[in-house]
Every structure is written in structure tokens, then in C-alpha cells.
Amino acid sequence: MDIDETPRLGEAPAAYVARLAAEKAAAAARDGEWVLAADTIVVLDGEILGKPVDEADARAMLGRIAGRGHIVLTAVELRHGVDRAGTVEHTRVRMADLSKERIAWYVATGEPMDKAGAYGIQALGALLVEEVEGNYSNVVGLPLPATGRLFEQLGADLLEFRP
């Protein structure tokens, strides 16, 4: 699946991430199948922080968000046949104060390289996070309560699901 992740001129962060999730779902859609797609970004001072392009970019991103709050936006798009439902969830995260040594250590783990905002809260990046206001699973990359609501909107009975 080859989706252009370049933000469009003037595109707001929430519209951007919703577009990416919708395009990913459309690209994977097959007749009669359920398709779930999601995309997550970090927004700092109105600027989208995607995945770092290299270690220097990861260090710079982490330096920018250190000791500050930012917003994590995850868009989820669900499709079943011609029916579709989507949402964009917002969670506020405040990072701990981070020394250059702590940032260098974390970047050296390789973990930030495929993560929006250069951190993953579900693993070692949790050591960098001071506070989460909102849904934790949204920061991981799939807001589970919202995803369940989308399935229900499209007629799935989650109470009948048996693992």
C-alpha cells in the first residue's frame, strides 16, 4: 500500500490524519470484508511531528517535546462493504524534562525511528512520559474504546464476540 503521507497545503492536523486513515482503509478495502485503518501523529504548537527521518531528527523532536505538553491525534477508519465510519481521537501528553544524555540513550535503542513524535509510550518511551490526559491506547496508536464504537456504528455486535 503506497499512500502519500505529505500534508497538503493548509491542511489542519486532524484533517490530515483523518485523510491518511481513510486512504489506507480505501486502499485495503475488499468486498464483504471488514477493514480497519489508523494513523497517529503528534502535534506540537500546531505543527505535525511525524516519524523521524533519521537519528538526528529523532533527537531534535525529543528535544522539542521534552518538558512540554503535546497532542496525540489518532484517526481510525472502519469500512465494511460500502459502509464506513471514522473518528479522530485526541490525547494530551506531557513529557518529562529530558537531558541530552537521556535523549541520546533512547534514540540509540532504535525505538523512536518508526514512531510519530519519536517515542513509543508502550515500551521504553514510557520512561519519558510524565502525564497522559485522555485515552492511553490512543497514544499507543489505536484508541480501543473509539474503535469499538465504530464497529457498533456499522452494526457489529461486540457483545457476541468470543476470543
Side-chain angles (χ1 to χ4, degrees):
M1 171 176 13
D2 201 17
I3 303 296
D4 180 8
E5 296 191 14
T6 307
R8 295 179 179 157
L9 187 62
E11 189 172 35
Y16 165 73
V17 76
R19 177 177 59 81
L20 291 184
E23 288 179 3
K24 289 177 180 182
R30 304 289 179 265
D31 285 341
E33 293 182 5
W34 289 93
V35 174
L36 179 69
D39 204 88
T40 301
I41 59 172
V42 167
V43 180
L44 179 68
D45 299 330
E47 180 185 345
I48 296 168
L49 301 182
K51 297 174 185 175
V53 296
D54 56 25
E55 289 185 356
D57 192 30
R59 285 191 299 275
M61 278 189 206
L62 290 166
R64 289 182 62 200
I65 63 176
R68 301 186 61 201
H70 60 272
I71 302 295
V72 175
L73 300 178
T74 300
V76 181
E77 177 87 7
L78 179 66
R79 292 177 182 234
H80 187 234
V82 297
D83 296 326
R84 57 186 273 200
T87 189
V88 177
E89 295 295 309
H90 301 69
T91 302
R92 184 164 178 75
V93 177
R94 187 169 55 85
M95 301 302 280
D97 291 326
L98 303 173
S99 67
K100 289 183 180 183
E101 293 79 17
R102 173 69 55 110
I103 290 171
W105 165 81
Y106 183 60
V107 171
T109 70
E111 189 175 283
M113 299 316 298
D114 66 342
K115 308 285 190 291
Y119 75 96
I121 196 170
Q122 67 273 27
L124 293 172
L127 296 169
L128 313 179
V129 175
E130 192 69 37
E131 183 177 34
V132 175
E133 183 181 321
N135 186 274
Y136 169 83
S137 65
N138 185 52
V139 184
V140 173
L142 186 64
L144 297 174
T147 300
R149 288 189 296 273
L150 294 177
F151 274 98
E152 290 170 348
Q153 283 178 21
L154 294 189
D157 186 352
L158 297 180
L159 298 177
E160 290 187 10
F161 174 75
R162 301 285 183 259

